[in-house]
Amino acid sequence: MEVLTRKKSGLSDGGKSSFKIKQLPFMAILCTVMLFIVYRTTKYQYHEVEIDRKWSLWGETKGYSAASERLKGLPQGIIQATSDLELRPLWSRSSSRSKVSDYSNRNLLAIPVGIKQKQNVNVMVRMFLRANFSIVLFHYDGNVNGWWDLEWSSKAIHLVAHNQTKWWFAKRFLHPDIVSIYDYIFLWDEDLGVEHFSPSRYLQIIKEEGLEISQPALDPNSTEIHHRITVRARNKKFHRRLYERRGSTKCSEASEGPPCTGFVEGMAPVFSRSAWYCAWHLIQNDLVHGWGMDMKLGYCAQGDRTKNVGIVDAVYVVHKGIQTLGGDGHDTIKGSDSRKATKKPSSSSIDLRSEIRRQSTWELEIFKKRWNQAVSEDRDWVDPFKGNKNFLRRRSRHNR
């Protein structure tokens, strides 16, 4: 009986051994598959990190490390790296001191203003205040006292610098760390008619469509229209590209960049928080007219500019084309005394508007040279819009 039992036991053990031997190829295949999955996942993650690095235009890590070194004397919890443009009361009741300020759904409207456009600016600001916007006025003519009779004036931030442009003000006072609480930054000119505009409707559209950089369309009857892509399409909620077969610039579905797609103009741009972080760094500190920047803003669209940049048609504005910075187009300066203005130019007179246009044109050429030089010197930077459609498709899927 013991012999038979041992034989049966031996047969049983042999069966198990045989089963284990048969399992080995299966386990080897399973391990191979698992290793392959791990490899592919690791490679994909590395690739995504590389994509993010290529989209970054600055060495933020290096700057952050340097800043951290300078802050070593402070305990970490006391450091506040950002600020805002919200007005604070000089005093408050004890019952309200403990209340936490709610900065959700905050947006900012910043406008360069002169007293000549007071009536139009008043209409704009009243509309945006009703939509819970914070207001910043850049007074380029030095006249602030002329605004205090408006009921909302004390609710706005007033910044004064004589004969300075919108981009000069924005570079110095709208640093990303200062405007970090705002979801969207509207950096508009003062000569826009808003009879057909609604801030709340506009915000709803750009959020739904994922537009990181945008502008309201221009009424076809506007006094000044420089690029056809900005003209309102009557039957659309918004559009991202222009189809144009006439003229020197041909725009079609195959067009991949400005002025056919991925483009907004400088008179009424709207930036998301992330897009403004990039755009602020793109503004050149000494090139105050901003010419040429509109062609490069698509690089700040946080992805594919043909998808993330657009013109909103459902609510639109009228561009009146009124130029008051530096004069009205007729003023001239005699000699070096800017207070002596005359309507009759002479051989010793300076046409202010003509001089401003010359300066703007010169700055445009400088900006182009700087961009080309930066591209040639930065060997790690890869142009995401130059013959890299697969990269854009991958980036678009990643963002979704």
Side-chain angles (χ1 to χ4, degrees), residues 81-85 103 106 108 174-185 273-274 276-277:
T82 62
S83 185
D84 57 58
L85 292 169
Y103 291 140
R106 296 295 297 181
L108 179 70
L174 300 185
H175 187 280
D177 288 346
I178 301 298
V179 298
S180 62
I181 70 166
Y182 305 106
D183 295 333
Y184 292 94
I185 293 93
R273 184 187 296 109
S274 298
W276 177 246
Y277 182 91

Side-chain angles (χ1 to χ4, degrees), residues 3 5 7 73 98 113 147 154 171 244 259 262 293 300 313-314 340 342 368:
V3 175
T5 303
K7 283 184 179 181
S98 59
V113 300
W147 297 81
S154 61
K171 186 67 173 178
E244 182 65 76
M293 268 187 54
C300 291
D313 301 295
K340 296 178 181 178
T342 177
K368 288 179 179 177

Side-chain angles (χ1 to χ4, degrees), residues 204-215 217 228-233 236-244 251-265 298 301 303-314 396 400:
Q204 179 186 2
I205 292 172
I206 62 176
K207 289 176 182 178
E208 288 175 353
E209 304 302 334
L211 299 180
E212 297 283 339
I213 300 175
S214 61
Q215 76 161 80
R228 285 194 56 79
I229 190 173
T230 62
V231 178
R232 182 189 178 219
K236 293 183 178 180
K237 183 169 69 172
F238 75 103
H239 65 273
R240 291 187 174 98
R241 61 173 58 245
L242 170 69
Y243 298 92
E244 182 65 76
C251 297
S252 66
E253 189 65 39
S255 302
E256 297 180 357
C260 300
T261 187
F263 177 84
V264 298
E265 202 171 352
D304 187 352
R305 64 185 173 188
T306 66
K307 299 289 189 296
N308 297 351
V309 180
I311 314 291
V312 176
D313 301 295
S396 180
R400 287 199 297 268

Side-chain angles (χ1 to χ4, degrees), residues 1 124 128 305:
M1 288 294 292
M124 294 171 65
F128 278 85
R305 64 185 173 188

Side-chain angles (χ1 to χ4, degrees), residues 71-331:
L71 294 172
K72 284 197 305 184
L74 295 175
Q76 188 68 29
I78 201 64
I79 296 172
Q80 288 199 349
T82 62
S83 185
D84 57 58
L85 292 169
E86 301 302 295
L87 295 173
R88 310 281 179 174
L90 287 176
W91 62 275
S92 58
R93 297 183 183 277
S94 58
S95 59
S96 61
R97 288 172 189 163
S98 59
K99 292 182 179 178
V100 178
S101 299
D102 181 16
Y103 291 140
S104 60
N105 300 315
R106 296 295 297 181
N107 302 286
L108 179 70
L109 172 67
I111 321 173
V113 300
I115 198 66
K116 293 180 180 179
Q117 295 300 316
K118 179 179 177 181
Q119 183 176 352
N120 192 64
V121 172
N122 181 38
V123 174
M124 294 171 65
V125 171
R126 287 164 64 95
M127 173 181 286
F128 278 85
L129 280 174
R130 288 194 295 269
N132 196 35
F133 273 68
S134 297
I135 308 295
V136 177
L137 300 184
F138 303 137
H139 296 273
Y140 59 75
D141 61 354
N143 189 337
V144 181
N145 291 334
W147 297 81
W148 293 124
D149 61 322
L150 300 176
E151 75 278 5
W152 52 261
S153 188
S154 61
K155 300 176 184 177
I157 300 287
H158 298 265
L159 301 170
V160 187
H162 196 67
N163 273 347
Q164 298 305 310
T165 69
K166 174 170 70 176
W167 302 107
W168 184 92
F169 280 105
K171 186 67 173 178
R172 286 150 183 81
F173 299 106
L174 300 185
H175 187 280
D177 288 346
I178 301 298
V179 298
S180 62
I181 70 166
Y182 305 106
D183 295 333
Y184 292 94
I185 293 93
F186 288 59
L187 192 56
W188 283 18
D189 286 354
E190 62 183 333
D191 60 342
L192 300 175
V194 293
E195 293 80 7
H196 307 287
F197 188 78
S198 165
S200 57
R201 175 64 175 143
Y202 187 91
L203 289 169
Q204 179 186 2
I205 292 172
I206 62 176
K207 289 176 182 178
E208 288 175 353
E209 304 302 334
L211 299 180
E212 297 283 339
I213 300 175
S214 61
Q215 76 161 80
L218 303 183
D219 188 303
N221 296 319
S222 294
T223 304
E224 283 192 6
I225 295 177
H226 302 121
H227 299 278
R228 285 194 56 79
I229 190 173
T230 62
V231 178
R232 182 189 178 219
R234 296 182 184 277
N235 299 321
K236 293 183 178 180
K237 183 169 69 172
F238 75 103
H239 65 273
R240 291 187 174 98
R241 61 173 58 245
L242 170 69
Y243 298 92
E244 182 65 76
R245 298 184 180 277
R246 299 170 296 175
S248 57
T249 303
K250 303 292 191 301
C251 297
S252 66
E253 189 65 39
S255 302
E256 297 180 357
C260 300
T261 187
F263 177 84
V264 298
E265 202 171 352
M267 95 281 289
V270 178
F271 302 91
S272 70
R273 184 187 296 109
S274 298
W276 177 246
Y277 182 91
C278 172
W280 184 90
H281 286 81
L282 180 63
I283 300 172
Q284 303 295 288
N285 191 61
D286 57 329
L287 305 183
V288 297
H289 291 284
W291 279 30
M293 268 187 54
D294 50 4
M295 292 292 178
K296 301 302 181 185
L297 284 177
Y299 287 91
C300 291
Q302 310 302 297
D304 187 352
R305 64 185 173 188
T306 66
K307 299 289 189 296
N308 297 351
V309 180
I311 314 291
V312 176
D313 301 295
V315 287
Y316 57 98
V317 297
V318 178
H319 187 205
K320 300 180 180 180
I322 303 172
Q323 298 173 332
T324 56
L325 175 61
D328 60 6
H330 302 288
D331 293 344

